[in-house]
Amino acid sequence: AQSVTQLGSHVSVSEGALVLLRCNYSSSVPPYLFWYVQYPNQGLQLLLKYTSAATLVKGINGFEAEFKKSETSFHLTKPSAHMSDAAEYFCAVSEDFGNEKLTFGTGTRLTIIP
Amino acid sequence: GAGVSQSPSNKVTEKGKDVELRCDPISGHTALYWYRQSLGQGLEFLIYFQGNSAPDKSGLPSDRFSAERTGGSVSTLTIQRTQQEDSAVYLCASSLAGQTRYGYTFGSGTRLTVV
């Protein structure tokens, strides 16, 4: 079964600083990888997805992620943090082609320091 | 509807009571998923419905948990004889069949508190 590991359950960055949230997937190349964001008392919202079309994926709100097969990673970045980016972020991986189930990481809570 | 709708948004129940949580997916989405999010935990897969196929129940934590999906649309997650460890946010999501590459659309969840 596929799995993802998110390093760092809590990350704090200053407003305007680089945001880097880490995600590593299990060794077999998954069909699809996703980043979701969850704001307080809300459901999850899709930020971006990797579907093998391009290794650098751009998402909403200025976020992007790069798929690196050699490092089994799919880290999420944003050049300049904004106060509104404070939320919880989840990395997710699909099982296999034809299996619609997603497996989620344990999440990273991002705090922005004014 | 425009999005995935879940009800109630909050539910407080006494230990030992049964509860029903409802999910109304996006119209036309044939795949429906239930996840559980406990405090400080990630999302735990519970069950997955895909069209008329038998559901994938591999994530249900005990036989107190069950779910059904009527008419390929609305789904109900039932927890019998609730326990305090059942307290969590229960999230429902839907997607187009065979379209996982587009991701899921999630509802806002039902926060269940067992006292």
Side-chain angles (χ1 to χ4, degrees):
Chain A
Q2 295 283 358
S3 65
V4 287
T5 302
Q6 291 185 243
L7 294 176
S9 58
H10 291 85
V11 170
S12 294
V13 301
S14 297
E15 190 176 14
L18 171 71
V19 175
L20 171 60
L21 304 182
R22 300 177 185 275
C23 173
N24 288 88
Y25 60 89
S26 53
S27 57
S28 58
V29 177
Y32 312 120
L33 285 158
F34 305 85
W35 275 99
Y36 283 84
V37 60
Q38 185 179 34
Y39 298 103
N41 300 314
Q42 295 186 26
L44 276 72
Q45 178 182 0
L46 181 65
L47 263 181
L48 50 78
K49 57 185 182 287
Y50 165 75
T51 60
S52 76
T55 56
L56 181 62
V57 180
K58 294 186 183 298
I60 62 172
N61 302 336
F63 284 93
E64 62 182 37
E66 186 171 8
F67 174 75
K68 291 187 176 180
K69 184 177 178 180
S70 61
E71 299 177 7
T72 63
S73 70
F74 189 58
H75 301 331
L76 181 71
T77 60
K78 182 173 180 177
S80 177
H82 192 273
M83 295 301 294
S84 61
D85 295 328
E88 187 142 23
Y89 293 79
F90 292 93
C91 183
V93 63
S94 61
E95 282 294 320
D96 285 299
F97 293 103
N99 184 332
E100 310 289 334
K101 189 169 71 177
L102 296 186
T103 300
F104 288 81
T106 51
T108 298
R109 183 168 298 279
L110 177 64
T111 300
I112 310 300
I113 304 166
Chain B
V4 177
S5 178
Q6 291 189 246
S7 60
S9 54
N10 281 284
K11 176 72 177 179
V12 179
T13 190
E14 293 181 352
K15 178 181 173 182
K17 300 281 189 183
D18 298 352
V19 294
E20 286 189 351
L21 312 180
R22 176 188 168 104
C23 173
D24 200 343
I26 290 174
S27 179
H29 280 193
T30 55
L32 186 147
Y33 317 82
W34 284 98
Y35 285 79
R36 177 168 71 174
Q37 185 177 24
S38 303
L39 188 63
Q41 304 293 313
L43 274 72
E44 175 189 11
F45 168 77
L46 296 178
I47 188 168
Y48 154 45
F49 295 89
Q50 173 65 292
N52 295 321
S53 303
D56 177 351
K57 304 179 181 180
S58 60
L60 295 179
S62 76
D63 59 7
R64 296 186 296 105
F65 288 72
S66 63
E68 63 177 21
R69 189 178 184 192
T70 53
S73 180
V74 172
S75 176
T76 303
L77 177 68
T78 302
I79 308 173
Q80 296 178 310
R81 305 181 302 282
T82 52
Q83 303 294 313
Q84 287 187 329
E85 61 261 30
D86 300 333
S87 296
V89 176
Y90 290 81
L91 291 166
C92 176
S94 70
S95 69
L96 287 167
Q99 303 293 323
T100 303
R101 62 184 178 275
Y102 296 119
Y104 298 169
T105 301
F106 280 86
S108 297
T110 293
R111 182 176 298 278
L112 175 66
T113 304
V114 181
V115 297

